[in-house]
Amino acid sequence: MDELELFFLDLNEEETDLVLKDIAEPCSRELSQKIKARAGVGKSTDIRAFPLIKLLPFAAVFLLVFAATLAAGLKGGLIPASKEPTTLQATTQQPPEDNPLMVAISTGDEDIIQKLLSVPGVITKETLDFALNFSNLISYDTLRSIALSVRDSLGSTGLDGLIEGALMGDTDKVVTELSMRDKLTMNPFERLAFFFAVAFCDSEAVESFVERGYDINIKDASGNSIYAIAEKYGNEDTKQYAVSMGITS
């Protein structure tokens, strides 16, 4: 008899109820009810009154679901979500072969990108989102050029207000957007908004991020500090702010 059999054989009704206790996910509650029904919990005072072979398959599936729920930290939060910022990962997204602009974006060829931005028909509503996924290959200046071209062609960038304000260097918009958010999720695009603010906005925007929990020492996908980013893009105000915070390289 293996360990799983021994485990369930020793359970009385109360202990079985604890094992089969419903967890947050609806699919797990339904599975729990099925296990209880098949095992006859509630109809007898002892689980040993039921054939063990009828219980084991359902119990094994239940334990797998329970383990997966623990690992994923699904609704209800069996495991608190990590507060560590997510880093922007390189994408494997493939460009449409019939769109030369997206092909150039995916290769990081900024000279070709700049030339193609003026070609009619190459800008689509997916262009900017696609470019943001390749922000590790493209300079922030080029990303801003793409955003401006998308807005001129389509009438809107389609971006979230925070990232659009930061990319366009609109300090007031960034501060306003941040003031309306109780908590930052620190997802990859929110982090990208922070680095755009470092490059293009006044230090007030950067301070607003820091006040809401952003680590002033975090670096972008290329390993640049806020000082290095501000210096690269000629943002003296934010550069001086970085120095005042002890970041000088």
Side-chain angles (χ1 to χ4, degrees):
M1 185 176 292
D2 62 28
E3 293 181 1
L4 185 60
E5 291 176 335
L6 288 171
F7 173 75
F8 280 98
L9 189 61
D10 285 338
L11 296 181
N12 57 33
E13 181 177 349
E14 181 179 356
E15 291 169 337
T16 302
D17 278 338
L18 289 175
V19 172
L20 302 177
K21 184 179 179 182
D22 291 343
I23 55 178
E25 289 299 296
C27 64
S28 299
R29 290 198 300 270
E30 182 180 352
L31 179 59
S32 176
Q33 291 166 0
K34 288 181 179 178
I35 294 173
K36 288 182 178 181
R38 181 61 64 92
V41 175
K43 298 179 182 179
S44 174
T45 58
D46 195 336
I47 196 170
R48 282 172 286 189
F50 301 91
L52 190 59
I53 192 170
K54 293 184 178 181
L55 174 62
L56 289 178
F58 290 95
V61 173
F62 178 80
L63 290 175
L64 286 173
V65 172
F66 183 76
T69 304
L70 281 174
L74 296 175
K75 299 174 184 176
L78 293 175
I79 297 178
S82 171
K83 295 184 179 179
E84 290 298 318
T86 306
T87 56
L88 193 68
Q89 301 296 325
T91 182
T92 58
Q93 186 177 1
Q94 296 299 311
E97 293 182 0
D98 60 350
N99 190 305
L101 176 57
M102 288 191 181
V103 172
I105 288 170
S106 70
T107 63
D109 192 329
E110 301 197 33
D111 289 337
I112 297 297
I113 291 170
Q114 293 291 350
K115 292 175 182 177
L116 288 172
L117 289 176
S118 60
V119 175
V122 298
I123 292 176
T124 69
K125 64 181 181 179
E126 292 84 16
T127 300
L128 187 51
D129 283 340
F130 185 83
L132 290 173
N133 280 313
F134 288 90
S135 61
N136 59 317
L137 299 179
I138 305 170
S139 71
Y140 299 161
D141 276 334
T142 297
L143 284 168
R144 183 160 65 168
S145 294
I146 294 171
L148 289 169
S149 295
V150 168
R151 188 173 66 180
D152 290 345
S153 297
L154 306 179
S156 170
T157 64
L159 293 175
D160 169 80
L162 178 61
I163 195 169
E164 180 182 74
L167 185 55
M168 298 302 181
D170 189 338
T171 298
D172 291 340
K173 185 171 185 176
V174 170
V175 172
T176 299
E177 286 284 337
L178 288 172
S179 70
M180 295 188 295
R181 305 182 186 209
D182 294 332
K183 184 179 179 181
L184 298 181
T185 60
M186 296 187 180
N187 62 52
F189 290 107
E190 202 170 73
R191 282 170 58 88
L192 197 53
F194 172 75
F195 294 125
F196 288 156
V198 171
F200 304 124
C201 295
D202 295 338
S203 60
E204 181 183 0
V206 180
E207 288 184 76
S208 294
F209 273 97
V210 174
E211 288 170 358
R212 284 161 179 77
Y214 263 71
D215 181 359
I216 196 69
N217 294 302
I218 63 174
K219 297 181 179 181
D220 70 4
S222 299
N224 297 311
S225 69
I226 67 166
Y227 177 92
I229 295 169
E231 183 176 48
K232 179 178 180 179
Y233 293 97
N235 191 339
E236 287 298 322
D237 183 53
T238 299
K239 180 180 174 181
Q240 291 305 314
Y241 171 70
V243 171
S244 72
M245 299 296 289
I247 303 172
T248 58
S249 63

